[in-house]
Amino acid sequence: MSSINLKRLSEELGLSISSVSKALRDSYEISAETKKRVMEMAEKLNYQPNPFASSLRRKKSLTVAVVIPEIANNYFVLAINGIQTVAQQKGYHVLTYLTHENAKDQESTIKHLQGGRVDGVLISLCSDTSTGEQLSELQNAGFPVVFFDRVPDAPGCPTVTTDDFDGGFKATEQLITSGCKKIAYLRVSGYLSTTVNRMNGYLAALQKYGIPQDPKMIVECSNDDDANQELIKKILKMRGRPDGILSSVEKLAVSMYYACTEINLKIPKDLKVISFSCLRTASLLSPSLSTITPPAFEIGKEAASLLFRMIEKKVYGNRVDKIVLNSSLIQRNSSR
Amino acid sequence: MSSINLKRLSEELGLSISSVSKALRDSYEISAETKKRVMEMAEKLNYQPNPFASSLRRKKSLTVAVVIPEIANNYFVLAINGIQTVAQQKGYHVLTYLTHENAKDQESTIKHLQGGRVDGVLISLCSDTSTGEQLSELQNAGFPVVFFDRVPDAPGCPTVTTDDFDGGFKATEQLITSGCKKIAYLRVSGYLSTTVNRMNGYLAALQKYGIPQDPKMIVECSNDDDANQELIKKILKMRGRPDGILSSVEKLAVSMYYACTEINLKIPKDLKVISFSCLRTASLLSPSLSTITPPAFEIGKEAASLLFRMIEKKVYGNRVDKIVLNSSLIQRNSSR
C-alpha cells in the first residue's frame, strides 16, 4: 500500500491541502463538521503525520510576551507603551499576561509560554515570587528572557531596572531636609528587588544624617487596600508617630491619604509624604503628591530593545546586560 | 512487527511512560537533551502516536480566560477581583490577557484562545472592535463565552452590563439641576456599547429638560492623553464654552482636570463635572470628582457566575442571559 500523504488525503476529501492541514491541527479556521470529516478520513486511510518534525522545528511567531504582576499601577501602563513602540518598529506583536501578584498565576503563565508560541519574554516578577526555579526553567526553555523593574537576584539574568537605592536615598534625604525626624517606610511584603533596594536607600540616608533606625517605622503592608489603610491609621495614631512617610509603591500612598483624611492629619503640616509613583493624578491630589518617578516608558523601550538584540542574536557569548536607569524626584506640596 | 506503544518506547529508553509522553508533547518539564533522545528513539522504532485522539478529546483545563482592553482603568481591577472570587470557589485558575484597545491584539488573543487551553472566556471588547466576526468565531469554537461591560450588539451573546443609559441620564440630570445650561459629553472613538448607551442617556436628559442638542458639545476623544487634553482645552476656550461636562470614561476626566489647571478654569465654579469612573483617587482629587460608579466587582462576580453555569451546563437550550446592574451617582465637590 502506498503511503498516505496530505496530498492524497486532500484529494480524497475534495479539500485543499492547506484546509486539511489546518483541520488536523484543530485550527479555529475550520468548522467542527469539516474537522470531523477530515479526521475520520485520516483514520480510515491510516494517514500518519510526522509529529516529530513540528516540535523539532521552531518557527518564528513574531510575537513577544510581556508578563506583569498587576494592573492597578500606572508604571506598567507606561512601560508597556515603551515596549510596544519598539515591538512595532520590529514588526512584532505584543501579548500581555497578568499574574495578579500571585506566584501560582506566574507559574502557570510561564508554563504556558514554554509551549513556545512566543519568540521572547519580558517579565516583571510578582511580589510573592519565592524561588528562581521557574525563572531558570523559562530561560532554559530556549528563548530570550529579559526581566524589568522587579527582577531576580541572579547573575545570569538580563535586567532593566531603575536605581531604586538612589531613589530611596534621595526621597528620604528630601524628607530629612524638610525637617522630618521620624520617617516611616511603607513596604510591600515579600522580597522584591525593588522593595529591598528602595529600603536600603532609605536606611542609608537615615544613617548619613545620624537618625537611628527604628523597626517600628518599617511598616509591612499587604495587597489588601482596606487592611493597609487600617494598618497605616494605627501607625499614625501611635505615641511617637512618624512625621514623614516614604511609600515604596503608589497604592500605599493612596491608602495613606485616606488614612490621614479619616484621622484628620494634615499633609504636609502634620506629616510629609513622598511616594515612588507614576500615578497620573499625582499633581491633582489634595495636596499634590511628591514622587520618585521611574522612567517607565524608557525602561519598557530599553527592555524591549535588549530583548530584540537577543532575539536577533546580536548579543553573543556569556554577556549579560544589566541596564540601570535613574528616577527623578518631583517635589510637590505633600513634602514641602 | 508488533506495534510500538508508549510502554515499549519507555522500556527501550529506560524512562517512565509519563516522561516519554511529556517529551513527545515538548513539555517544559523535560530537558532538551532527553527530548532529543526520546524523539530519535521514537523515529528509530517508528512509534506512531494517535494524533486524532487528543484533538477529539477535550480535557478540562480548570482555567478561564479574561480578556480586557486596557489596564489604566480601575474598573477592570475591580471586575477581575470579582471574577477571581468566583473562580477560586470553583477551583479554577484565571488567566488575564490585554488587548491594549487594539483590534489586532484582540484578534490574535482570540485565535490563541481557540487553541482550546481554557474552559471558558470572559471578554470586554476593545474600543476599535469593528465587526462581530471574530466574536462569533470565538463562540463557535465550542466553549462558553460571556461578554461584560463592553459588549457586542448581538442577540445571541450572553452579557453582563451596567445600565449605561440610566447612568448617562442621571449624571446629565444632576448637572442640569445644578444649573448647567451647556453640557458637553466627552466620548471615546468607536462604537462601544458603553459609549453609545451613555450618550443616549445624556441626550434623553437634555430632551427632558428642553435643552437643544448641540453637535459641538459632543467631543470625540482618542486614546492619546496629550491630544485629548489639547482638544478639551480648545473646547473650554471657545466662545459659548460648556458650563458642565459629562465624561464617559475616567481618563478623560483626568485630562480635563489638567486642561482646567492650564487655562485657569475653576471646578466647580466655572465648570461642573461628573465622570463615569471607578478611580480610587476620585475623592482625593482637588476638587473631589463626582462619579457615576458602576458596580465593577459585582459585574465581575455575575459574569463569572454566568460563565460557570454555562461551563457546568446549567444553562440549557437557547437561553441567553443578559444581566444588567445599576450604577450609583456619587456626588462630590466637582458638580456642586
Side-chain angles (χ1 to χ4, degrees):
Chain A
M1 192 177 95
S2 73
S3 85
I4 297 296
N5 58 18
L6 267 183
K7 184 156 175 287
R8 170 77 201 287
L9 197 55
S10 74
E11 283 163 6
E12 287 287 331
L13 287 156
L15 294 167
S16 71
I17 290 182
S18 145
S19 297
V20 173
S21 167
K22 282 177 183 165
L24 291 170
R25 279 185 284 117
D26 199 17
S27 160
Y28 76 96
E29 294 174 53
I30 307 296
S31 74
E33 201 186 335
T34 305
K35 279 180 196 166
K36 193 158 170 275
R37 253 186 77 214
V38 171
M39 282 171 188
E40 281 170 1
M41 183 61 82
E43 215 153 17
K44 188 178 153 201
L45 298 181
N46 196 28
Y47 166 71
Q48 299 284 10
N50 182 352
F52 312 117
S54 63
S55 50
L56 285 175
R57 177 187 354 122
R58 175 156 284 168
K59 282 192 295 189
K60 286 244 180 249
S61 66
L62 295 182
T63 301
V64 294
V66 182
V67 183
I68 59 171
E70 56 169 359
I71 59 174
N73 189 331
N74 207 41
Y75 175 88
F76 292 111
V77 177
L78 299 170
I80 288 174
N81 286 347
I83 290 166
Q84 286 196 310
T85 303
V86 176
Q88 258 163 27
Q89 284 165 0
K90 297 282 179 183
Y92 268 65
H93 183 76
V94 177
L95 275 181
T96 308
Y97 300 82
L98 289 179
T99 61
H100 310 114
E101 297 288 16
N102 179 314
K104 269 185 79 176
D105 280 17
Q106 182 169 287
E107 197 178 315
S108 61
T109 301
I110 289 173
K111 272 190 194 172
H112 174 77
L113 291 173
Q114 283 167 335
R117 54 193 67 238
V118 296
D119 294 346
V121 177
L122 294 151
I123 180 166
S124 190
L125 298 178
C126 70
S127 59
D128 68 347
T129 304
S130 51
T131 75
E133 259 177 60
Q134 281 292 324
L135 305 165
S136 38
E137 292 262 22
L138 187 55
Q139 286 195 297
N140 292 338
F143 48 68
V145 179
V146 171
F147 296 87
F148 69 101
D149 191 46
R150 303 165 168 199
V151 304
D153 184 16
C157 293
T159 58
V160 180
T161 54
T162 315
D163 188 342
D164 284 309
F165 178 93
D166 182 62
F169 186 92
K170 281 193 297 201
T172 309
E173 187 167 53
Q174 210 264 296
L175 289 170
I176 294 170
T177 56
S178 296
C180 297
K181 304 226 173 328
K182 273 178 168 293
I183 300 168
Y185 177 76
L186 306 184
R187 55 170 288 167
V188 285
S189 56
Y191 299 94
L192 287 178
S193 57
T194 46
T195 298
V196 172
N197 295 336
R198 287 166 189 185
M199 192 166 83
N200 287 339
Y202 154 81
L203 294 173
L206 292 186
Q207 190 170 28
K208 177 179 169 191
Y209 289 89
I211 297 177
Q213 272 188 42
D214 179 351
K216 285 200 303 294
M217 291 288 138
I218 292 176
V219 185
E220 182 139 340
C221 300
S222 66
N223 283 319
D224 178 334
D225 291 336
D226 294 335
N228 291 337
Q229 191 172 323
E230 286 308 308
L231 179 62
I232 295 167
K233 247 163 58 184
K234 217 177 100 190
I235 305 294
L236 291 176
K237 286 200 288 193
M238 75 182 179
R239 187 189 295 266
R241 66 159 180 85
D243 56 6
I245 283 194
L246 173 56
S247 166
S248 64
V249 294
E250 71 194 18
K251 70 179 172 192
L252 296 180
V254 175
S255 295
M256 199 206 40
Y257 266 60
Y258 278 113
C260 287
T261 308
E262 275 192 50
I263 60 175
N264 210 18
L265 271 187
K266 298 290 175 224
I267 306 170
K269 193 174 125 304
D270 303 326
L271 182 74
K272 298 189 200 305
V273 175
I274 300 183
S275 181
F276 282 84
S277 174
C278 293
L279 197 64
R280 216 183 137 212
T281 53
S283 62
L284 296 176
L285 297 185
S286 170
S288 56
L289 174 65
S290 296
T291 56
I292 294 284
T293 302
F297 180 81
E298 293 304 319
I299 286 176
K301 272 180 75 175
E302 287 288 345
S305 301
L306 175 54
L307 186 72
F308 282 109
R309 289 202 295 278
M310 292 162 70
I311 288 173
E312 292 160 2
K313 303 222 184 335
K314 288 181 189 157
V315 176
Y316 297 100
N318 291 322
R319 172 177 163 175
V320 175
D321 288 74
K322 303 251 179 207
I323 298 166
V324 182
L325 304 180
N326 283 320
S327 51
S328 339
L329 170 61
I330 304 171
Q331 200 181 354
R332 300 196 184 89
N333 290 331
S334 69
S335 65
R336 283 192 216 276
Chain B
M1 191 177 97
S2 74
S3 84
I4 296 296
N5 57 19
L6 267 184
K7 188 159 173 286
R8 171 77 200 288
L9 197 55
S10 75
E11 283 164 4
E12 288 287 331
L13 287 157
L15 293 167
S16 71
I17 290 181
S18 142
S19 297
V20 174
S21 165
K22 283 175 183 166
L24 292 169
R25 278 185 285 116
D26 199 18
S27 160
Y28 76 99
E29 293 173 54
I30 307 296
S31 74
E33 201 186 334
T34 304
K35 278 179 197 166
K36 192 159 170 276
R37 253 187 77 214
V38 170
M39 282 171 188
E40 282 170 3
M41 182 62 81
E43 216 152 16
K44 187 176 153 205
L45 298 182
N46 196 28
Y47 165 71
Q48 298 283 9
N50 182 350
F52 312 118
S54 63
S55 50
L56 285 175
R57 179 189 350 125
R58 176 156 283 168
K59 280 193 295 188
K60 286 246 178 247
S61 66
L62 295 181
T63 301
V64 294
V66 182
V67 183
I68 59 171
E70 57 168 359
I71 60 175
N73 188 331
N74 207 40
Y75 175 88
F76 292 111
V77 177
L78 298 170
I80 288 174
N81 285 346
I83 290 166
Q84 285 195 311
T85 303
V86 176
Q88 258 162 26
Q89 284 166 0
K90 296 283 179 182
Y92 267 65
H93 184 76
V94 177
L95 276 182
T96 308
Y97 300 82
L98 290 180
T99 60
H100 310 116
E101 297 287 15
N102 179 314
K104 268 186 79 178
D105 280 17
Q106 182 170 287
E107 196 178 315
S108 60
T109 301
I110 289 172
K111 270 191 195 170
H112 174 78
L113 290 173
Q114 283 168 334
R117 54 193 65 238
V118 296
D119 294 346
V121 177
L122 293 151
I123 181 167
S124 190
L125 299 178
C126 69
S127 58
D128 68 346
T129 304
S130 51
T131 74
E133 257 176 61
Q134 280 292 324
L135 305 166
S136 38
E137 292 260 24
L138 188 54
Q139 285 195 298
N140 292 338
F143 48 68
V145 179
V146 171
F147 297 87
F148 69 102
D149 192 45
R150 302 164 168 202
V151 305
D153 185 17
C157 294
T159 57
V160 181
T161 54
T162 315
D163 189 341
D164 283 309
F165 178 92
D166 182 63
F169 187 92
K170 280 193 298 201
T172 310
E173 187 166 54
Q174 210 264 296
L175 290 169
I176 295 170
T177 55
S178 296
C180 297
K181 306 226 175 325
K182 274 179 166 294
I183 300 168
Y185 177 77
L186 306 184
R187 56 169 288 166
V188 285
S189 57
Y191 298 94
L192 287 177
S193 56
T194 46
T195 298
V196 172
N197 295 335
R198 288 167 187 183
M199 193 167 83
N200 286 339
Y202 155 81
L203 294 173
L206 292 185
Q207 188 169 29
K208 179 179 167 190
Y209 288 90
I211 297 178
Q213 274 187 41
D214 179 352
K216 286 199 303 295
M217 291 288 138
I218 292 176
V219 185
E220 183 139 339
C221 301
S222 67
N223 282 320
D224 179 334
D225 291 337
D226 294 336
N228 291 337
Q229 191 171 323
E230 287 308 309
L231 179 61
I232 296 168
K233 246 163 58 185
K234 214 176 100 190
I235 303 294
L236 291 177
K237 286 199 288 194
M238 73 183 181
R239 189 188 292 266
R241 66 158 179 86
D243 56 5
I245 283 195
L246 172 56
S247 166
S248 64
V249 294
E250 69 194 20
K251 69 178 173 193
L252 296 180
V254 175
S255 296
M256 199 206 39
Y257 266 59
Y258 278 113
C260 287
T261 307
E262 276 192 50
I263 60 176
N264 210 18
L265 270 188
K266 298 290 175 223
I267 306 170
K269 194 175 124 301
D270 302 326
L271 182 74
K272 297 188 201 306
V273 175
I274 301 184
S275 181
F276 282 83
S277 174
C278 293
L279 197 64
R280 216 185 137 212
T281 54
S283 62
L284 297 176
L285 296 184
S286 172
S288 57
L289 174 65
S290 296
T291 57
I292 294 284
T293 301
F297 181 81
E298 294 304 319
I299 286 176
K301 272 180 75 174
E302 287 288 344
S305 301
L306 175 54
L307 186 72
F308 282 109
R309 289 201 296 278
M310 291 162 71
I311 289 174
E312 293 160 1
K313 304 221 184 334
K314 287 180 189 156
V315 176
Y316 298 100
N318 290 324
R319 173 178 164 174
V320 175
D321 289 73
K322 302 248 179 210
I323 298 168
V324 182
L325 304 180
N326 283 320
S327 51
S328 337
L329 170 61
I330 304 172
Q331 200 182 353
R332 300 197 183 89
N333 290 331
S334 69
S335 66
R336 283 193 215 277

